[in-house]
Amino acid sequence: MKHVDEFRDPALGQVLAGEILGLVEPGRHYKLMEVCGGHTHSIYKYGIDDLLPANVELVHGPGCPVCVIPMGRVDDGIALAHEPDVIFTCFGDMLRVPGSDGTLLDAKAEGADIRMVYSPLDALRIAKANPDRPVVFFAIGFETTAPSTALTLKRAKAEGVKNFFCMCNHVTIVPPLRALLDSPDLRLDGFIGPGHVSTVVGVRPFEFIPTEYGKPISVAGFEPLDVLHAIHMILTQLKEGRCEVENQYARVVPYDGNPRALEVMSEVFELRPHFEWRGMGFISQSGLKLSEAYADMDAEIQYSVPGIRVADPKACQCGEVLKGVIKPWECKVFGSGCTPERPIGTCMVSSEGACAAYYNYGRFAREREVV
Amino acid sequence: MCLAIPGRILEVVDEGNRLAKVDVAGVQRNVNIGLLDDDGVGVGPGDWVLIHVGFAMSKVDEAEALETRRMLESMGEDYENELEELKASIIE
Ligand code: SF4
């Protein structure tokens, strides 16, 4: 599938779907996890699950950066935003994520100076335009966004900007996958690997999935046909009794990732011993913080944040959703107490979140129809 | 923030900071292209790139870029929001 033209070809989708039917063994149930929220979105937008045989189940993984931020971190962000003179900057997606007592948007309504930015470089520009006020950037994201934060901090340091601080919530993709594979809750047959993260980390870091856990993985692009193709590749491996890392998205993802991006990340960040994930608890070596050389720009060192671990709200089952243990509509508050307009959990806030994808595409409470 | 949006590099506007002006569906803004410096080729005017939070993250060919854009356009609101956020961005 090298020619992009073919991606516009619905007939090819039919061919792939037809071949997939021939790849699955009747009576065997296949559980494939799409790691990335972008894939979840594509799957429901284009009804990819409807093209699959009934015994192929797609479960949604932890790869939505907004969804995995725990309440305590939101509270810490809000506390920082209320510090005197602080200008607090973050991506728009973060504004509506509930903390234990409201959202950043609520804090803004209460008078905190909170500004949405498109890029960490916008936050740096705000810092340079307001030299007498501390500007905090609330950084979130997997390896897709972490290099951008790193390069921004590097530039701020080189330019001697003294009022720019970062509250780092960057996370890495491999540890939660390992945690899922180690968990007895869930038996997976294969993975649709995250496309954008892999442009940075490459495909090599996923090799442990076949070598240590014996599961196939195919790193996939975001076109509906990419996702379908990746499913085809995984099922082919299972049928042939192989398990390998395959790269469906090789036209964008190099095997070794982006060396420059990895280099800036390792210069600016270091691994935290552990980091809390929404609903998944603490996962060791899964989060990044600013390295020693950047400590004077680390908002968590320069300010004292509460740093309290807050349990997820009782009604919220985001943890189970993020681990693929339940489907969004199985959460008791889905679509009633929790909607994109008034989210209780993070998976409903970001459009990459599984709950929002189900809600927006009308998947309220039904199992897939049998094809 | 999770969308990678395709844009075409028009010109490098700041050599030192590796900033380039790109055109994203008619919106012209500056983004950083420094993360692509080390891939052996680098990027320059005329190249298509996928942009994340103001940084070019991958170089793609034109057909790939246009196909990605077609898909994003079909997503409606999410893509429009991303473009609105890009419009509000002033990277210098
Ligand atoms: S419906 Fe809401 S509370 Fe329930 S899992 Fe989804 S986001 Fe979380």
Side-chain angles (χ1 to χ4, degrees), chain A residues 4 8 41 45-46 91 93 116 118-119 122 125 140 144 148 152 155 200 222-223 251 258 260 351, chain B residues 1-2 4 17 32 35 38 52-55 57 64 67 71 74-75 78 82 85-86 89-90 92:
Chain A
V4 188
R8 300 192 177 100
H41 196 100
K45 163 108 183 122
Y46 296 99
F91 296 136
D93 288 3
M116 186 181 100
Y118 169 68
S119 168
D122 284 311
R125 175 186 45 82
I140 63 166
T144 331
S148 306
T152 303
R155 178 171 163 191
V200 173
F222 295 87
E223 264 286 311
R251 60 188 198 275
N258 180 331
R260 170 84 183 128
S351 64
Chain B
M1 60 154 294
C2 267
N17 287 313
N32 182 294
L35 291 171
D38 259 4
H52 263 286
V53 302
F55 289 74
M57 296 302 291
E64 175 74 23
E67 186 57 21
M71 189 190 75
S74 78
M75 286 177 53
D78 289 324
E82 188 81 10
E85 289 177 17
L86 173 72
S89 164
I90 311 167
E92 47 192 30

Side-chain angles (χ1 to χ4, degrees), chain A residues 278 313 315-322 326-339 342-349 354-356:
Chain A
R278 168 120 9 184
C316 170
Q317 289 187 275
C318 293
E320 278 94 333
V321 168
L322 287 167
I326 64 164
K327 292 286 189 293
W329 50 263
E330 292 175 83
C331 172
K332 280 182 282 304
V333 292
F334 174 81
S336 51
C338 184
T339 60
R342 294 176 56 85
I344 292 178
T346 43
C347 304
M348 197 57 105
V349 175
C355 294

